[in-house]
Amino acid sequence: MKPYLQLFDFSKKINYKTEILAGLTVAMTMIPESLSFAILAGFPPLTGLYAAFIMGLVTAVLGGRPGLVSGGAGATVIVLIALMKTHGIEYVFAAVAFAGVVQILVGLFKLGKFVRLVPQPVMFGFVNGLAVIIFMSQLEQFKTIVGGNTTWLSGPALYTMLGLVALTVLIVIVLPKFTKAVPSSLVAIIVVFVIVLVFNIDTKLVKNIASVSGGFPPFHIPKIPFDLDTLKIIFPYGLIMAGVGLTEGLLTLNLVDEITETKGNGNRESIAQGIANITNGFFTGMGGCPMIAQTLVNLSAGARARLSGIIAALTILLIILIGAPVIERVPMAALVGVMMMVAIGTFEWMSFKVINKMPKQDIFIGISVAVITVWLHNLALAVLIGVIISALVFAWQSAKRIRANQFKDEDGVKHYEIYGPLFFGSVANFNDLFEVSNDPEYVVIDFKGSRIYDMSGIDALNKLTEKYRNANKKLHLRFLSEDCKRLLKNAEDIIEVNIIDDPRYKIATEK
C-alpha cells in the first residue's frame, strides 16, 4: 500500500542533509516576512509566527506535494486588514477558520482542477507580478522611523545596509559555483550575521521589527457571538481569503510541478490548506497559504521531500520557545538580500525571449495580470481578470471559425455541413450562413463537424426553424451529438425541429 504521508518513503531517495539545511534556510526567510505582514495588518506579532509554524507543519505533512512551503502569507493577510480594523482580532480568527472550511469543501468536491483553466500568459503575469511584489516589499527595510514619521535611511546607516545586502547577494550568486553542499542562502545569512556580531556593526536587526519570543500556540475559541449576524460579517472575508489562498496555492503548486517535473495533487493540497487554516483559527494564528518565495528558496536549496517543510516549521517553533535571543540579532540586510535574489529567480525572464513570438492578445493578458498584481496586491483578482480576458479572446476567435459547406443532392435537397462551435459568440455568423428564401423545400443541416454548446445556439436554431416554417419549407438536423440532443430535448418547449435519426453502425466484434 502506498504510504499516505510519505514522510520517509524509502522507495524514494531522500538527502537528509539537504532537506534539513533547506528547512533551516526557509525558516530564516519566513520569520521576518511573517512578522512584517502581521504588523502591517495590525495583528499581534506572534500571530504571524504561529501561522508560519502551523501552516508549515500541517501542509508539509498533509499537503498535495513535497517541496511546497506554506506560512503566514501577505496575500491572505491583506484580505483581513479591513476586518481587523472594524471588528478586531477575534473576528479575524473566526474568518480564518471559516476560510479553512471553504478550502476543505473545495478539495472534497475536487474543484481544485479548475486551476487548469489558468492560461500560460496569466501564469507569466502572475509570477512576474509576484516577483516584483517580493522585490519591492524588501525596500521597506530601507526605511526607519524618525520622530514618529517613516523616512528612508540615509548616510552611514544606508551605506551599511546596502553593503551588507550586496555581500549577501554576492555570496548567494558565487557560492554555488564552488559548492552546492550547503544552501548558499543559509551560508549568506550566517556570514553576514557573524560579521555584524564580531565587528559590532550598527544596522537593523530582526528584533527591530518585533520580538519573536513566546510560548506554544494556545488553544483559543474565538470570543464572538455564534449567530447569523456574525456569519454575515465573517462570510465575505473568509470566502475571499479562501479564494486568494487557493488561487496562489494551486498556481504555486503548478509552478513547483514544472520545476521538479513531477505531479502534485491540487485537491489534497486544498484540504491540507483548509485543515491548517482551521487550526490557525483555534490556535491564534493569522492563517495563510503557500508562499512562492519560500517555496523557491526551498527548491533552490535542493529540497524535494516533505522533510524540509517539517524542519522549517519546527525551527520556527523552537525559535519562538528558546531561540529568540539569537534570531532577533540576525541582520535584516541578510534576509533582504536573500529575498531579493528569490525575486530575481522568480521572475520569468524567458517571457522576454518569447514575447515577440506570442500573439498580441497573450502579451496584453500577461502584462495586465502583472500590473494588477503589483498595483492591487490582489493575486486572485489579477488571475480572475486574466482568465476572463483569455476566455473572451478565445470566444471571439472561436466565433469566427464557424462555416458551412453547401451542396444539393440528387433529390434536390439542400445540405448545410456546419463546421465549428455554435454558441453565443458564433450565432451571428451562423445565421448569415443560410439563404432561406433561395433554398429548396427540403433542407438538411449536418452537425457532424459542429456542436451546440449553449442556449444561444438553441435559440438560433429556434429562430432559423421559424424562418423556414414561415417560408413553408422543411428543416432537418443530422449527426447531433448526444449532449446536443439533450440540450434540444431540454428546450423542446421553445423549439420545433425534425431530427433525423442517424444510422447506428456496428463494429465487427458485435453480434
Side-chain angles (χ1 to χ4, degrees):
M1 181 181 291
K2 184 178 180 180
Y4 181 71
L5 300 181
Q6 288 190 348
L7 296 181
F8 300 97
D9 182 3
F10 293 105
S11 65
K12 297 180 180 179
K13 185 178 180 180
I14 297 178
N15 188 323
Y16 291 99
K17 185 185 77 171
T18 298
E19 295 292 321
I20 292 172
L21 292 176
L24 294 174
T25 307
V26 168
M28 292 300 101
T29 60
M30 192 182 294
I31 287 172
E33 190 165 343
S34 298
L35 284 172
S36 298
F37 285 126
I39 294 168
L40 173 67
F43 302 156
L46 276 177
T47 61
L49 294 183
Y50 287 155
F53 162 63
I54 295 170
M55 293 297 302
L57 182 62
V58 173
T59 57
V61 174
L62 302 177
R65 70 150 304 111
L68 194 66
V69 177
S70 297
T76 53
V77 172
I78 289 172
V79 174
L80 302 173
I81 293 177
L83 180 61
M84 177 64 185
K85 291 180 178 178
T86 56
H87 290 85
I89 192 68
E90 298 296 332
Y91 280 83
V92 168
F93 293 147
V96 170
F98 178 76
V101 173
V102 174
Q103 291 174 325
I104 289 176
L105 292 175
V106 169
L108 290 176
F109 287 102
K110 301 185 184 302
L111 301 179
K113 60 187 176 183
F114 288 106
V115 76
R116 300 172 189 168
L117 296 176
V118 179
Q120 190 61 41
V122 176
M123 281 289 290
F124 278 145
F126 161 77
V127 172
N128 290 345
L130 201 55
V132 173
I133 289 177
I134 294 171
F135 190 90
M136 296 299 292
S137 65
Q138 305 312 308
L139 299 182
E140 293 297 316
Q141 302 305 326
F142 288 88
K143 295 180 180 179
T144 187
I145 298 177
V146 178
N149 298 318
T150 302
T151 182
W152 291 96
L153 292 174
S154 60
L158 175 61
Y159 302 141
T160 301
M161 187 78 171
L162 288 173
L164 294 174
V165 170
L167 176 61
T168 305
V169 170
L170 183 65
I171 295 172
V172 172
I173 294 174
V174 174
L175 185 62
K177 299 181 185 299
F178 296 95
T179 178
K180 295 183 180 179
V182 291
S184 58
S185 300
L186 181 59
V187 173
I189 293 172
I190 293 173
V191 169
V192 174
F193 172 80
V194 171
I195 290 175
V196 170
L197 187 64
V198 171
F199 293 96
N200 196 26
I201 298 175
D202 183 18
T203 186
K204 183 186 287 189
L205 307 176
V206 169
K207 67 179 180 182
N208 298 131
I209 297 180
S211 173
V212 298
S213 61
F216 193 85
F219 177 75
H220 172 76
I221 298 176
K223 296 178 181 179
I224 57 172
F226 289 91
D227 54 25
L228 187 59
D229 290 335
T230 298
L231 181 60
K232 290 179 180 177
I233 293 171
I234 67 173
F235 181 83
Y237 294 99
L239 194 63
I240 295 172
M241 178 182 173
V244 170
L246 289 176
T247 301
E248 184 167 358
L250 294 176
L251 289 178
T252 304
L253 184 143
N254 281 359
L255 186 63
V256 177
D257 286 351
E258 293 180 9
I259 293 173
T260 61
E261 297 182 351
T262 56
K263 184 66 177 175
N265 187 324
N267 294 313
R268 179 173 165 178
E269 182 63 34
S270 299
I271 294 173
Q273 295 294 322
I275 294 173
N277 275 317
I278 291 175
T279 308
N280 265 284
F282 287 96
F283 283 88
T284 67
M286 67 181 185
C289 67
M291 304 176 73
I292 190 169
Q294 278 68 28
T295 298
L296 291 172
V297 167
N298 193 38
L299 296 177
S300 64
R304 293 295 183 272
R306 297 180 184 274
L307 184 59
S308 61
I310 296 172
I311 293 296
L314 294 178
T315 299
I316 292 172
L317 178 61
L318 287 175
I319 288 170
I320 295 172
L321 297 176
I322 60 175
V326 176
I327 298 304
E328 286 177 353
R329 294 191 61 83
V330 172
M332 285 303 303
L335 303 177
V336 168
V338 169
M339 295 305 294
M340 283 185 170
M341 289 304 299
V342 168
I344 293 172
T346 302
F347 198 91
E348 288 281 5
W349 298 101
M350 67 163 291
S351 58
F352 288 120
K353 297 180 180 179
V354 301
I355 195 168
N356 59 338
K357 301 176 183 178
M358 296 170 63
K360 293 180 180 179
Q361 61 267 21
D362 286 351
I363 298 173
F364 173 75
I365 292 168
I367 294 175
S368 298
V369 172
V371 170
I372 295 171
T373 301
V374 174
W375 184 27
L376 299 180
H377 286 214
N378 191 327
L379 307 181
L381 179 62
V383 171
L384 178 61
I385 291 175
V387 171
I388 291 174
I389 296 174
S390 299
L392 292 175
V393 169
F394 174 78
W396 176 255
Q397 296 294 334
S398 299
K400 297 189 294 185
R401 291 195 181 102
I402 196 162
R403 63 194 189 281
N405 181 30
Q406 306 177 24
F407 66 92
K408 287 184 180 180
D409 62 19
E410 61 273 11
D411 296 324
V413 178
K414 180 74 171 287
H415 291 259
Y416 287 90
E417 293 181 339
I418 307 299
Y419 297 93
L422 178 55
F423 69 111
F424 68 90
S426 61
V427 164
N429 292 339
F430 175 77
N431 291 329
D432 292 339
L433 298 175
F434 300 94
E435 303 172 345
V436 178
S437 59
N438 297 327
D439 282 345
E441 183 178 356
Y442 291 97
V443 176
V444 174
I445 302 179
D446 188 331
F447 280 91
K448 184 186 295 184
S450 180
R451 177 170 291 184
I452 303 170
Y453 280 94
D454 58 12
M455 282 305 299
S456 296
I458 295 291
D459 183 62
L461 282 181
N462 181 40
K463 292 177 180 177
L464 188 64
T465 302
E466 290 179 355
K467 289 180 181 179
Y468 278 103
R469 184 190 300 118
N470 294 335
N472 295 318
K473 298 176 180 180
K474 301 283 188 180
L475 178 64
H476 301 273
L477 305 181
R478 295 184 63 196
F479 295 117
L480 285 169
S481 61
E482 290 301 320
D483 55 342
C484 293
K485 288 181 180 179
R486 283 195 297 270
L487 274 176
L488 290 173
K489 184 172 180 59
N490 293 336
E492 59 187 3
D493 292 336
I494 63 170
I495 188 169
E496 293 182 8
V497 293
N498 297 310
I499 300 177
I500 301 176
D501 288 331
D502 302 321
R504 183 177 180 83
Y505 301 101
K506 294 183 178 182
I507 59 176
T509 57
E510 288 184 337
K511 294 183 180 179

